[in-house]
Amino acid sequence: METCDLGGRQQGPIWHRKPVPAARRGVIVNVIHSVKGYHSKTIRFLNVAFDSSGDSLLAGDHQGNIYVFDLNGNRFNLVQRTMQACTALAFNLRRKTEFLVALADYSVKCFDTETKELVSWMRGHDSSVSSISVHGSGRYAITTSTDTAQLWDLDTFQRKRKLNVRQSVGIQKVFFLPLSNTILSCFKDNSVFAWEFDTLHCKYQLPTPVEGSVLLYKVFAVTRDGRIFVAGGKSNHLHLWCLESKQLIRIIQMPAKVRAVRHLEFLPDSFHGDSNQVLGVLSQDNIMRFIHIETCKLLFDIGSHEEGISTAATSPNGRYIASVMENGSLNLYSIQALTQEGNKPPPPMFKVVEDWSKCMSEANKLTMRVTSEKSERPWKSKGSKIQNKLLKLQVNTSLENKENELPGGLNKKRLRALLKGFGEYPAKYRMFVWRSLLQLPENHLAFSSLIDKGTHSAFVNIQNEYPIKSRKLLRVLQRTLSALAHWSAIFAETPYIPLLAFPFVKLFQNNQLICFEVVATVVVNFCQHWFEYFPNPPVNVLSMMENVLAHHDKELLQHLIKYNVTSQVYAWPLLETLLSEVLTREEWLKVFDNIFSNHPSYFLMIVVAYIICSRAPLLHCHQTGDFEYFFHHRNNLDINAVIKEAYRLMEATPLDIHPQRTLDDFIPLTKGQYPVFNKYPNFIVDYQTREWERIRQDEIEYLRERQLAHELEAKAQERKAEDEAWYRKQELLREAEEQRRKMLLEEEEKLAEQRQRLAAVKRELKVKELQFLDASRRRFLKYQQDQRQIELKHLDDEIARKASMREQETAATVQDVEVQRMELESQRQLFEQHLIKDQEAVTKEMKEEVDAHRRRVDLEDHLVQRLMEIDREEKQKAHRVAEENLAKAEQKRIDADWRLQALHKLRRDDQDREKHYEEIAKLLHDNRVKEAELLKAMREAEEKKWEEVLQKKAQLEEEQKTAAAADEHQKQFLEDKMDDALELAEKLQREDGYFERLRVLKARCTERGVELQQVPRSRIICLNDLSASESSSHMSLDRRRELACQERELMAEVRRLRQKLTSRARTRHPPTHFQATKWTP
């Protein structure tokens, strides 16, 4: 067992020589992280996770160191130091270089393995994150803690949703179902809910387990196809649920040693696709047992009581198991070494249905016990021993059966019968059948030695020639081709070897060893004699195929020869690509089911059969380009017919031209080491190798010189950039100096201005100080004056007080005299009061009379004033009415004048139009006179023509006596002439009628003009109606335009008629008769 100590290294190889998995335990390598010092110790690994390809492993230890292990590249790399323990890892994000790590501070961080930088930091949990589940697209993740689960968008690293539950319930795990948009949430009360990812609506809830079950779910696992859900906990029972039917389908009872289940993990299965059948169960004794969930058999286990397992993870490609051990180390197991299920035939399709109802109750029907496979394996059971004895007896008795026996318990004869019946092998077991038919040795050490040699120089830049979109597929193709080139030098020089190997690389991309051995087996057995004429195509093989084609279809071969289409055009493209260019995937697999099941010559026969079955379109091709296109593209061809034709060719081809006579039988690859392949001209390959090496050295020298030139150019550019930077810096310094000088000048100017302002301020302050002193002096003088005035006022007040005292004494004396006088006055007033009362009564009566009179006068004044206002309003109203009547009369007068003017204008227009009509009538009269003269001349010409006709008729009658046929023809001619003359006369008469119609039309227009003149006089028009006059004027103007248009049309029609008559006269009568006639305008 190989051991790798990381120590203080940040990167390095995982193993110095790729180890062979230990036969007993299947361990590939044991990784430890020890720290040497005063107190040496081992840092414990805590978590492990694979990437989506399964070729890289992510591991985190107790101190927060995160390592990436490249299992294909044999390298480990320290990608991050988080300085705290990690609680969960995820390495299957959409961006392949990024990973998620949950830390002890309840946060989740995203790092990049290449840049080793922090991408994002996600917070939101209040307790430790126990698991991270990533969606199949790699764009979303769910982080789960005991109190909450949170959904994150890994493109923006923003939280989308949060699942909260009561503290009494608690969350066990929330994760995505594989290959679906469903989220499964498992709680501590054994409730399981399924949620729709897009809407987060609850899709369903699993029912409660069977009654009496005390199993509390703590760990969970789901198959790759998302159909089977397994749950376990503190019990040796496992519950298997079918998520499609939402039913508990089975209860698996683990061995008695298992008291609790700590972890569940499904193992990828190469035979059952995504419906995984092998389940890994990690129990409390730190041993992980792998069982088959259908048969409930214990297949194998890893770990022991001394070397217990803490947690484990399986690679998606089904090649590795990574486990964190109890001692803190990391073990990497080979699944292929642990189980032999990949090399066993699939389980039999026949199974016996047993009746369990008699011995078990309905509740116990679901329970199945896990039994150890050590005593029940087929090859160790009694039945197996008997079968082995029977097989040995058959081997000894029949040589044919020995040749038909294949590894894995298969029989070639039975496989051929199955292939003949169904046309192909079952897709589920095809890879297993192929491996058995080709008898692959699976030489791990030999293949590892070829892979360890690295990428061959011939295929370093293969991506330029074959740009494959999938990086993984390109890498596998490059490694397979490099291993072939290291095995035999011819494959590095063969240009078509990538085309030959690519179909198998695409088919076996997850198992590179099988891919290499399949390609090597195909080259050794089905490509015999291909490399004898290297670098030319295999002329000998192509000749054999041409002979077979000539024997079975001479017509097609002659057609190909006729158009210079050789076997290198119609056969070699199919051979070098193994028919992958012209067949679909299903057709290609079906064809190679038959190829691998027959003699190597069948491959050549199936190519010939493809050509023969395509004879109809090939016979219609006549250009070389059409033939080349046909054999490089897919065609509408029934592959079953091709396969049948190939079998017919195998049986009907004579032995002297049969390829089986030249090709050897199938020989599998040898075990341990691969056979030597040297069936090619060594001197050519060596020469090409030397040439390639020379070219490579020249290219290296050229690249080195170009690198030096680039470096010199870069230095020159750098020096130039430095010079430019120096000049730019100097320019900037100069500009800065100029700017500083300008700033100094501006500052000096500002300082001078400030000094001037300061001097002005000082002057102002001085003036203000003087003004203040003057004001204070004046205020002091005023204060002295005020004091003196106050003193004078005090003296005046004293004098006034003494005078008032004197006046008071005099007033007292006067008051006494006044009192006496008042007594006398009171007596007098009493007497006067009596008199006043009498006078007031009289005055009151007079006042009432005066008030009544005043009211009467006011009423009369009001009435007079009202009468005056009414009179004034009447006058104003009469004046306004008079003004309105005057304005109306004026307006009516204006309207009457305007209407009179309009009538006068219309009358003048009518008179002008009448004159114009008279002129038109005169012109028409003149035209009629001229036309009459023309008709007269035409009649005279017609009379002359008739005279000529009569003369000619007399001549014809004379000639008729001599020749009857000539007379008859002449008579017919004269009758035609007469008919034409009569038609002309009738036409002229009709045209005379046309002139009559013109006169009628003119008379009608004149009558309309008269009516228009009479309409204004006959109607009663209001002078105030302006719209009527305007509409009448518009009507008269429109009518004038209409008459003018009719007049122009009449004149145009007269001209056309005149031209028509002239043309007819010219065509019917020769122009010699009208030499004296002239047309005047």
Side-chain angles (χ1 to χ4, degrees):
M1 181 177 64
E2 184 84 10
T3 301
C4 175
D5 188 359
L6 303 182
R9 297 179 296 168
Q10 294 188 2
Q11 58 182 357
I14 304 174
W15 49 73
H16 297 286
R17 180 181 178 87
K18 188 171 183 179
V20 180
R24 185 172 59 88
R25 292 180 296 174
V27 180
I28 298 177
V29 65
N30 173 250
V31 181
I32 60 174
H33 185 191
S34 62
V35 178
K36 298 185 182 297
Y38 182 75
H39 295 289
S40 298
K41 62 178 181 178
T42 300
I43 301 175
R44 296 173 54 85
F45 283 102
L46 296 179
N47 287 281
V48 65
F50 281 95
D51 66 350
S52 57
S53 66
D55 295 330
S56 294
L57 178 67
L58 193 71
D61 60 20
H62 187 71
Q63 291 186 353
N65 300 315
I66 309 296
Y67 291 91
V68 171
F69 296 89
D70 185 1
L71 303 180
N72 285 340
N74 188 25
R75 301 290 296 177
F76 74 87
N77 191 9
L78 177 64
V79 295
Q80 196 56 236
R81 295 180 186 269
T82 61
M83 307 306 295
Q84 52 184 323
C86 64
T87 58
L89 291 172
F91 198 21
N92 53 343
L93 277 63
R94 184 167 64 91
R95 292 177 287 273
K96 303 303 181 184
T97 59
E98 295 180 1
F99 65 91
L100 296 176
V101 54
L103 303 174
D105 61 353
Y106 311 153
S107 66
V108 180
K109 293 183 179 180
C110 180
F111 294 99
D112 193 294
T113 58
E114 291 184 353
T115 61
K116 300 182 181 180
E117 294 180 355
L118 176 66
V119 178
S120 182
W121 193 348
M122 296 174 283
R123 292 180 176 271
H125 285 280
D126 297 329
S127 58
S128 177
V129 176
S130 58
S131 67
I132 301 175
S133 176
V134 181
H135 189 262
S137 63
R139 295 185 56 188
Y140 303 96
I142 295 177
T143 55
T144 307
S145 59
T146 56
D147 57 348
T148 184
Q150 300 185 13
L151 176 63
W152 304 88
D153 187 344
L154 298 183
D155 288 337
T156 60
F157 294 100
Q158 299 293 324
R159 185 175 64 191
K160 296 187 65 177
R161 291 296 179 90
K162 183 178 181 181
L163 176 63
N164 292 320
V165 295
R166 294 192 303 272
Q167 189 174 4
S168 60
V169 177
I171 300 175
Q172 289 287 7
K173 189 175 183 181
V174 180
F175 55 95
F176 287 104
L177 285 183
L179 305 177
S180 69
N181 283 333
T182 303
I183 300 175
L184 217 61
S185 60
C186 308
F187 301 96
K188 292 183 178 180
D189 59 354
N190 276 17
S191 60
V192 179
F193 292 87
W195 312 83
E196 184 66 35
F197 168 65
D198 297 329
T199 60
L200 292 179
H201 292 162
C202 183
K203 295 176 65 176
Y204 57 85
Q205 178 186 2
L206 294 182
T208 56
V210 295
E211 296 182 359
S213 175
V214 295
L215 175 60
L216 293 177
Y217 295 162
K218 290 186 176 296
V219 289
F220 313 91
V222 181
T223 57
R224 179 70 175 169
D225 58 2
R227 295 181 179 179
I228 303 299
F229 170 68
V230 183
K234 286 188 176 182
S235 172
N236 64 344
H237 287 180
L238 298 176
H239 286 186
L240 265 70
W241 293 85
C242 178
L243 296 182
E244 292 181 344
S245 61
K246 290 85 175 176
Q247 296 294 329
L248 182 66
I249 59 174
R250 186 174 293 115
I251 298 176
I252 299 177
Q253 182 179 357
M254 296 296 293
K257 298 178 182 179
V258 177
R259 296 189 302 274
V261 178
R262 294 171 51 190
H263 184 70
L264 294 173
E265 190 83 22
F266 271 104
L267 202 63
D269 194 343
S270 60
F271 287 111
H272 298 86
D274 293 333
S275 59
N276 311 110
Q277 300 294 317
V278 180
L279 176 65
V281 182
L282 179 62
S283 57
Q284 88 288 344
D285 58 358
N286 300 328
I287 298 175
M288 194 166 189
R289 298 170 174 86
F290 289 85
I291 64 172
H292 196 284
I293 61 175
E294 292 294 333
T295 61
C296 294
K297 290 183 179 180
L298 178 62
L299 303 179
F300 61 92
D301 54 34
I302 57 176
S304 61
H305 295 287
E306 295 79 12
E307 297 180 358
I309 296 176
S310 175
T311 185
T314 60
S315 62
N317 57 10
R319 298 178 61 186
Y320 306 106
I321 298 176
S323 63
V324 177
M325 311 304 289
E326 285 293 323
N327 58 11
S329 64
L330 180 67
N331 274 7
L332 187 66
Y333 295 88
S334 172
I335 296 177
Q336 187 176 9
L338 289 171
T339 177
Q340 298 299 324
E341 289 295 322
N343 295 327
K344 292 180 181 179
M349 300 180 68
F350 269 104
K351 288 189 177 181
V352 179
V353 177
E354 298 179 0
D355 189 5
W356 288 71
S357 59
K358 297 180 180 179
C359 58
M360 298 184 70
S361 64
E362 185 177 355
N364 293 331
K365 286 182 181 180
L366 297 173
T367 305
M368 296 182 66
R369 294 187 177 183
V370 176
T371 58
S372 177
E373 199 180 24
K374 296 178 180 179
S375 61
E376 297 184 8
R377 289 181 180 175
W379 57 83
K380 290 188 178 181
S381 62
K382 296 180 179 180
S384 298
K385 291 180 180 179
I386 296 171
Q387 187 177 4
N388 288 338
K389 291 179 181 179
L390 291 174
L391 290 175
K392 290 179 180 178
L393 181 61
Q394 291 176 0
V395 168
N396 294 330
T397 57
S398 177
L399 181 62
E400 182 181 359
N401 290 338
K402 182 179 180 180
E403 293 177 354
N404 291 327
E405 288 301 322
L406 296 174
L410 299 181
N411 187 281
K412 184 181 290 187
K413 189 174 181 180
R414 293 180 180 178
L415 289 176
R416 287 178 181 174
L418 178 66
L419 183 63
K420 186 177 180 181
F422 293 96
E424 59 180 334
Y425 294 125
K428 189 175 183 180
Y429 305 110
R430 176 177 280 119
M431 300 302 105
F432 175 75
V433 173
W434 282 16
R435 290 162 64 180
S436 299
L437 288 172
L438 299 178
Q439 303 178 30
L440 302 182
E442 299 188 19
N443 300 326
H444 291 274
L445 293 177
F447 179 71
S448 299
S449 64
L450 294 176
I451 291 295
D452 292 342
K453 293 181 180 180
T455 304
H456 197 276
S457 59
F459 304 108
V460 172
N461 299 319
I462 191 173
Q463 66 274 7
N464 298 331
E465 188 175 359
Y466 300 98
I468 301 174
K469 186 176 181 181
S470 173
R471 295 177 60 185
K472 176 184 176 182
L473 191 61
L474 179 64
R475 185 168 62 250
V476 174
L477 177 64
Q478 190 178 40
R479 290 177 179 175
T480 303
L481 296 178
S482 299
L484 289 171
H486 291 310
W487 176 43
S488 180
I490 184 64
F491 300 120
E493 310 297 332
T494 306
Y496 55 85
I497 198 67
L499 301 176
L500 187 144
F502 181 74
F504 299 103
V505 171
K506 193 171 183 180
L507 202 60
F508 298 98
Q509 56 181 318
N510 294 326
N511 195 332
Q512 299 180 28
L513 170 64
I514 300 300
C515 177
F516 170 78
E517 292 186 350
V518 169
V519 175
T521 305
V522 169
V523 170
V524 170
N525 291 279
F526 298 95
C527 300
Q528 298 181 34
H529 308 292
W530 279 29
F531 307 98
E532 294 178 358
Y533 294 90
F534 183 81
N536 299 315
V539 181
N540 50 351
V541 177
L542 297 178
S543 300
M544 287 190 289
M545 299 174 63
E546 190 170 356
N547 293 334
V548 175
L549 181 61
H551 178 77
H552 292 282
D553 199 337
K554 286 186 178 181
E555 181 185 359
L556 179 58
L557 182 61
Q558 291 298 327
H559 178 74
L560 296 173
I561 295 172
K562 178 181 178 181
Y563 293 101
N564 296 324
V565 178
T566 62
S567 57
Q568 296 185 14
V569 176
Y570 64 79
W572 181 235
L574 303 178
L575 290 175
E576 66 178 354
T577 59
L578 299 182
L579 300 167
S580 60
E581 273 188 341
V582 297
L583 298 179
T584 62
R585 176 186 172 89
E586 291 74 15
E587 294 174 347
W588 189 85
L589 293 173
K590 186 181 296 186
V591 167
F592 269 83
D593 284 344
N594 291 272
I595 292 175
F596 289 157
S597 301
N598 289 280
H599 190 270
S601 60
Y602 181 80
F603 177 44
L604 305 182
M605 289 300 186
I606 205 162
V607 173
V608 177
Y610 183 87
I611 298 170
I612 293 175
C613 292
S614 305
R615 70 188 312 276
L618 290 175
L619 291 175
H620 288 83
C621 295
H622 304 290
Q623 295 182 2
T624 306
D626 296 340
F627 289 102
E628 293 177 352
Y629 181 87
F630 184 86
F631 290 106
H632 283 280
H633 293 80
R634 294 177 182 175
N635 305 291
N636 296 325
L637 199 63
D638 185 8
I639 197 63
N640 295 321
V642 175
I643 294 173
K644 291 180 181 178
E645 180 66 18
Y647 280 113
R648 189 190 68 82
L649 295 178
M650 287 287 290
E651 296 175 357
T653 305
L655 293 176
D656 55 344
I657 61 172
H658 201 294
Q660 190 172 359
R661 187 172 61 90
T662 306
L663 301 180
D664 298 331
D665 293 336
F666 179 82
I667 301 175
L669 298 179
T670 56
K671 289 186 177 292
Q673 292 293 332
Y674 296 115
V676 177
F677 187 83
N678 56 1
K679 298 177 181 180
Y680 57 88
N682 293 325
F683 66 95
I684 295 178
V685 176
D686 296 340
Y687 173 76
Q688 287 190 351
T689 304
R690 288 194 300 272
E691 288 297 315
W692 281 113
E693 184 65 23
R694 183 182 59 79
I695 292 172
R696 191 175 66 84
Q697 293 296 333
D698 294 343
E699 186 176 359
I700 292 173
E701 182 66 22
Y702 166 73
L703 292 175
R704 188 179 62 78
E705 293 177 356
R706 188 174 68 176
Q707 182 67 24
L708 290 175
H710 285 326
E711 291 177 357
L712 292 175
E713 184 178 1
K715 290 182 180 179
Q717 292 292 337
E718 184 178 359
R719 193 177 297 109
K720 182 179 179 181
E722 291 177 356
D723 294 342
E724 291 180 355
W726 185 82
Y727 283 116
R728 194 181 303 110
K729 187 176 181 180
Q730 294 298 322
E731 185 67 21
L732 292 174
L733 290 174
R734 187 180 62 78
E735 292 178 357
E737 185 179 358
E738 292 292 334
Q739 187 175 3
R740 298 295 188 280
R741 189 177 289 109
K742 290 180 181 179
M743 291 174 62
L744 287 175
L745 292 175
E746 291 176 357
E747 292 295 331
E748 289 177 357
E749 292 177 357
K750 290 180 181 179
L751 184 60
E753 292 178 358
Q754 289 179 357
R755 286 176 180 175
Q756 291 177 2
R757 287 197 297 271
L758 183 60
V761 169
K762 286 181 178 179
R763 286 194 298 270
E764 291 177 358
L765 290 175
K766 193 67 176 177
V767 171
K768 288 182 179 180
E769 185 179 359
L770 294 174
Q771 291 177 355
F772 178 74
L773 290 174
D774 187 33
S776 62
R777 184 177 58 79
R778 285 196 300 270
R779 189 164 53 252
F780 181 73
L781 291 175
K782 185 178 180 182
Y783 174 74
Q784 288 181 350
Q785 290 177 1
D786 294 339
Q787 288 294 111
R788 288 176 183 176
Q789 288 179 359
I790 290 170
E791 291 178 359
L792 290 174
K793 187 176 180 181
H794 287 170
L795 291 175
D796 291 341
D797 292 339
E798 186 67 23
I799 294 171
R801 186 178 63 79
K802 290 181 177 181
S804 65
M805 290 176 65
R806 193 180 298 112
E807 289 178 355
Q808 287 177 359
E809 292 175 356
T810 304
T813 304
V814 172
Q815 285 179 357
D816 293 338
V817 176
E818 188 69 25
V819 168
Q820 294 177 359
R821 189 185 62 77
M822 289 175 63
E823 290 178 355
L824 293 174
E825 186 69 24
S826 61
Q827 292 177 0
R828 184 182 61 80
Q829 288 178 355
L830 182 62
F831 178 73
E832 288 180 352
Q833 284 178 357
H834 294 290
L835 295 176
I836 288 170
K837 287 181 180 179
D838 297 337
Q839 188 177 359
E840 283 180 354
V842 175
T843 304
K844 186 175 181 181
E845 293 177 357
M846 291 299 294
K847 189 174 181 181
E848 289 177 354
E849 292 178 356
V850 170
D851 290 339
H853 182 267
R854 186 169 56 251
R855 287 195 296 273
R856 187 169 59 253
V857 171
D858 291 339
L859 181 59
E860 292 175 354
D861 291 341
H862 179 69
L863 292 173
V864 171
Q865 187 69 25
R866 180 62 180 166
L867 290 173
M868 290 174 65
E869 289 179 358
I870 291 171
D871 187 22
R872 184 168 57 254
E873 289 178 357
E874 290 293 334
K875 289 180 180 179
Q876 290 178 356
K877 186 175 182 181
H879 182 67
R880 186 166 60 252
V881 170
E883 287 180 352
E884 289 178 356
N885 293 334
L886 181 61
K888 288 181 179 179
E890 182 66 23
Q891 184 63 35
K892 289 180 179 180
R893 186 186 63 78
I894 293 171
D895 293 342
D897 292 341
W898 186 82
R899 288 178 178 278
L900 289 173
Q901 290 177 6
L903 290 173
H904 288 313
K905 187 174 181 182
L906 289 174
R907 193 174 293 109
R908 285 195 301 272
D909 291 341
D910 293 339
Q911 290 174 1
D912 294 339
R913 189 165 57 257
E914 193 67 32
K915 290 178 182 180
H916 188 60
Y917 287 164
E918 290 177 357
E919 292 177 359
I920 291 172
K922 187 177 179 181
L923 290 173
L924 291 174
H925 183 266
D926 295 340
N927 288 335
R928 288 187 62 192
V929 171
K930 291 181 180 180
E931 288 173 359
E933 293 176 357
L934 176 61
L935 291 173
K936 185 178 179 182
M938 291 174 66
R939 288 191 187 98
E940 292 175 357
E942 186 177 359
E943 289 176 358
K944 292 179 180 180
K945 192 70 176 179
W946 275 107
E947 290 177 358
E948 292 178 359
V949 169
L950 292 174
Q951 290 176 4
K952 290 181 179 180
K953 188 175 181 181
Q955 292 177 3
L956 287 172
E957 288 176 356
E958 291 177 359
E959 291 177 357
Q960 190 176 6
K961 295 176 183 180
T962 58
D967 289 345
E968 187 66 24
H969 180 71
Q970 189 67 24
K971 184 178 179 180
Q972 184 68 29
F973 176 79
L974 291 175
E975 287 177 357
D976 294 340
K977 289 293 183 178
M978 288 175 69
D979 293 338
D980 293 339
L982 291 174
E983 288 179 3
L984 179 59
E986 290 174 0
K987 195 73 175 278
L988 290 174
Q989 289 177 2
R990 286 197 299 272
E991 288 168 354
D992 291 341
Y994 177 73
F995 283 111
E996 290 297 331
R997 287 198 300 275
L998 290 178
R999 286 195 295 272
V1000 172
L1001 182 60
K1002 190 260 180 185
R1004 195 175 296 169
C1005 293
T1006 306
E1007 290 174 1
R1008 287 184 181 177
V1010 173
E1011 289 175 1
L1012 289 172
Q1013 292 178 1
Q1014 293 176 358
V1015 166
R1017 298 187 185 94
S1018 62
R1019 291 181 181 176
I1020 300 173
I1021 301 174
C1022 182
L1023 295 175
N1024 290 331
D1025 192 4
L1026 297 176
S1027 61
S1029 62
E1030 290 176 0
S1031 62
S1032 63
S1033 63
H1034 288 307
M1035 287 174 63
S1036 61
L1037 292 175
D1038 294 339
R1039 190 61 188 168
R1040 288 177 59 191
R1041 284 193 291 270
E1042 183 179 356
L1043 292 173
C1045 292
Q1046 290 179 359
E1047 181 182 351
R1048 286 194 294 273
E1049 290 176 357
L1050 288 173
M1051 293 302 296
E1053 193 168 358
V1054 169
R1055 292 191 191 94
R1056 286 197 298 272
L1057 181 58
R1058 187 179 297 168
Q1059 293 174 0
K1060 193 172 182 181
L1061 291 173
T1062 305
S1063 62
R1064 287 182 179 177
R1066 288 179 179 175
T1067 55
R1068 294 194 177 186
H1069 307 286
T1072 56
H1073 298 283
F1074 300 96
Q1075 293 180 357
T1077 304
K1078 292 184 180 179
W1079 293 94
T1080 57

